[in-house]
Amino acid sequence: MPSSTDQTLQVSPIPAFNDNYIWMIDNRKEAVIVDPGEAGPVLAALQKRSLKLCAIVLTHRHEDHIGGVSRLLQEYSVPVYGPRFDPIESVTQPVQEGDIVTIFELDNLQLSVLDVPGHTKGHIAYYAKKEKWLFCGDMLFGAGCGRMFEGTPEQMWTSLSKLAALPDDVEVFAGHEYTLSNLKFAREIEPDSKALAARIKEDVAKRNRRQPTLPSTIGLEKATNPFLRADREEVMKRLESLGKLKDHDPVNAFAAMREWKNKYV
Ligand SMILES: [Zn+2]
């Protein structure tokens, strides 16, 4: 837990269900909650730190990301930002790419909205440019990506490429703790990668200490996440050698990995 008394914004995880992270951004007085899948842990975290909820932001419409909203709204009357193209009843401020969510209560924190369809058709991510934070829901995970429920491989690849284009030092706050199982799959794709071996060592140690592996960074994901590396020679060659890719095409390489991963775990 943070101990400082200054007004700097900070982000903390609120674990929920088996492996979800609800992210809380606060200035030690007020808090924004990202993807509250359940209300109980959020209310407990707010109470414990004497914080007042000032807004809820949602990345996509799946229940494990929005299930706690109505209960939170019974306690706090706050705006709910969410994807314009993913129907969510509780959203009061629908947003889409090009919009900027400004949180007046958190020293005018600005969250730029990015459209990242594929996991759901309306999935969005929130990018805090100044703070270098990315809240990406179920689109990008530590060493992995979300399942392709409502998109095409091309759409997923375009969405992931958009996130990969952010600066390397942007911190990635994803919606689930899936990193270790994703890393196991990543090693199938790049068994000789030193960057991957180093990440596995570090993230296994974090989990052994019961710490989150998140946030990671865009730079680390670009170096170790196979789904951001579908256009790399070495990745395509590996998939070809395994008989999983017939042409030298990043979108097909992405599709082949996504399909393999679906059956892998
Ligand atoms: Zn989801």
Side-chain angles (χ1 to χ4, degrees), residues 13-31:
I14 302 172
F17 306 114
N18 284 335
D19 50 34
N20 283 64
Y21 290 131
I22 297 166
W23 295 104
M24 177 163 76
I25 315 168
D26 75 88
N27 65 355
R28 290 150 182 94
K29 286 184 194 155
E30 313 245 6

Side-chain angles (χ1 to χ4, degrees), residues 103-136:
I103 309 290
F104 169 74
E105 293 86 345
L106 292 190
D107 319 309
N108 292 318
L109 168 69
Q110 296 206 317
L111 301 168
S112 302
V113 179
L114 302 172
D115 285 339
V116 284
H119 176 70
T120 64
K121 66 176 172 15
H123 199 304
I124 56 175
Y126 297 88
Y127 171 44
K129 191 175 176 189
K130 189 169 138 231
E131 290 76 11
K132 295 179 177 282
W133 296 332
L134 174 70
F135 299 93
C136 50

